[in-house]
Amino acid sequence: MTDTPAVTVRDDPERGVFLAVLDDGTEAGGAYYRHADGVVTFTHTEVPSDYEGQGVGSTLARGALDAVRERGERVVAECPFIKAYVERHPEYQDLLAG
């Protein structure tokens, strides 16, 4: 099993994406969203095959959801990956809008 790389999650609101960024600055994935009226609608999550199975996607989902919580906003999980993550981690279910 490959070691989990060090990943920082940062929001790029102009691109509408939370990015998983490695220590060397490489973008290792993104959780794409639309933002309106205090609701973040996650539409698609991508992690390049080079980083699959290394925890990048889970780190990305957790970081994005934590950021939404910090801002006091809600989530619509159109993205199947984010939806499954929230289902597996009930501590995030209170973020779901409607």
Side-chain angles (χ1 to χ4, degrees), residues 58-70:
S58 292
T59 300
L60 176 58
R62 182 175 54 251
L65 292 166
D66 286 346
V68 171
R69 183 185 304 283
E70 283 181 26

Side-chain angles (χ1 to χ4, degrees), residues 13 17 23 26 28 32 52 57 61 68-69 73 76 78 85 88 98:
V17 61
D23 284 344
T26 302
Y32 295 84
E52 286 180 1
V68 171
R69 183 185 304 283
E73 297 179 323
V76 173
E78 289 179 1
Y85 187 88
R88 286 190 318 271

Side-chain angles (χ1 to χ4, degrees), residues 1-8 19-30 45-60 81:
M1 179 164 163
T2 307
D3 289 334
T4 302
V7 176
T8 301
L19 296 167
V21 182
L22 303 181
D23 284 344
D24 66 2
T26 302
E27 291 181 7
T45 300
E46 290 181 355
V47 174
S49 59
D50 289 351
Y51 303 106
E52 286 180 1
Q54 298 178 42
V56 173
S58 292
T59 300
L60 176 58
F81 184 85

